[in-house]
Amino acid sequence: MKDYEGPEWVNVSRIRRYKASIAAENVKEDTFAKKLTNVNKKISHVDDFMRSRIVYIQNKAHVCVVYGKKVSMEKVCDIKLFDDNDFQLTPIQNRGDDKVKDKTVVIRDLPLDVDRLTLKTIMKKLGTVTDIKLQISGLWYKDYVTYENKLTVEEHFQDK
């Protein structure tokens, strides 16, 4: 068989994005477009700025900013946005970070009629839950439970 003489394959790593948000009600101005512009004026000078947009988190509007590097996103969270209030951008957990992965348990094949409150109550019995997300995966739910402490995951879930 002849050796391959075509172009070499290029490995493309997954592009990470780091997000921070602030509740839209805590930003001056009366429309979402003006709120975005107001936040952009304060933070767009920081390197690796990608975009900002309005997102809804637990049915509340938030201004969400996206950066290409974690350091840049953390730098933006330290910026005082407004003179008359102390509200700042806060980081949004990135499930791809190693620190978060070590504290997260993935539960697969949960029925779609699972009661979220019951699930949360059960998971809280094992340790302090910082975040819980349900994602539809085919005919099932996939649940991501993030605990406050990495030891909770190691003690109750690892190698079991």
Side-chain angles (χ1 to χ4, degrees):
M1 197 169 185
K2 218 170 134 183
D3 286 338
Y4 177 73
E5 293 182 18
E8 289 186 33
W9 288 94
V10 176
N11 287 332
V12 178
S13 61
R14 186 166 186 251
I15 298 171
R16 288 256 182 253
R17 292 191 172 97
Y18 299 92
K19 301 174 184 175
S21 72
I22 183 170
E25 65 189 24
N26 298 331
V27 179
K28 292 183 199 176
E29 300 301 337
D30 53 350
T31 66
F32 287 147
K34 289 179 182 177
K35 289 176 187 278
L36 281 173
T37 303
N38 198 359
V39 171
N40 284 346
K41 284 180 187 176
K42 305 285 185 171
I43 55 101
S44 60
H45 68 280
V46 177
D47 291 339
D48 305 307
F49 176 70
M50 297 177 102
R51 70 176 181 163
S52 64
R53 64 186 178 128
I54 298 292
V55 297
Y56 286 87
I57 302 172
Q58 296 177 345
N59 295 328
K60 288 181 89 175
H62 285 71
V63 175
C64 180
V65 297
V66 182
Y67 282 84
K69 291 187 180 170
K70 188 173 185 177
V71 175
S72 300
M73 181 270 298
E74 290 170 343
K75 184 177 178 182
V76 163
C77 291
D78 293 335
I79 294 174
K80 184 172 174 157
L81 298 174
F82 312 107
D83 294 331
D84 60 343
N85 72 38
D86 293 331
F87 295 108
Q88 292 178 282
L89 289 159
T90 55
I92 295 176
Q93 272 189 342
N94 189 339
R95 281 189 259 164
D97 282 351
D98 289 334
K99 288 180 183 176
V100 176
K101 277 184 182 177
D102 292 343
K103 299 187 292 184
T104 302
V105 176
V106 180
I107 304 167
R108 292 175 170 74
D109 298 338
L110 290 168
L112 293 175
D113 65 347
V114 69
D115 183 47
R116 292 172 189 239
L117 203 56
T118 303
L119 182 63
K120 193 172 187 175
T121 303
I122 292 168
M123 299 314 286
K124 281 185 174 183
K125 288 181 181 178
L126 302 174
T128 306
V129 175
T130 59
D131 190 34
I132 201 163
K133 297 238 187 297
L134 283 171
Q135 176 184 17
I136 292 180
S137 179
L139 297 174
W140 307 94
Y141 270 130
K142 191 186 297 184
D143 186 23
Y144 296 89
V145 181
T146 305
Y147 286 95
E148 185 177 72
N149 193 339
K150 177 180 166 181
L151 292 173
T152 305
V153 174
E154 291 173 357
E155 289 174 10
H156 297 286
F157 298 100
Q158 218 164 19
D159 300 325
K160 297 200 177 182

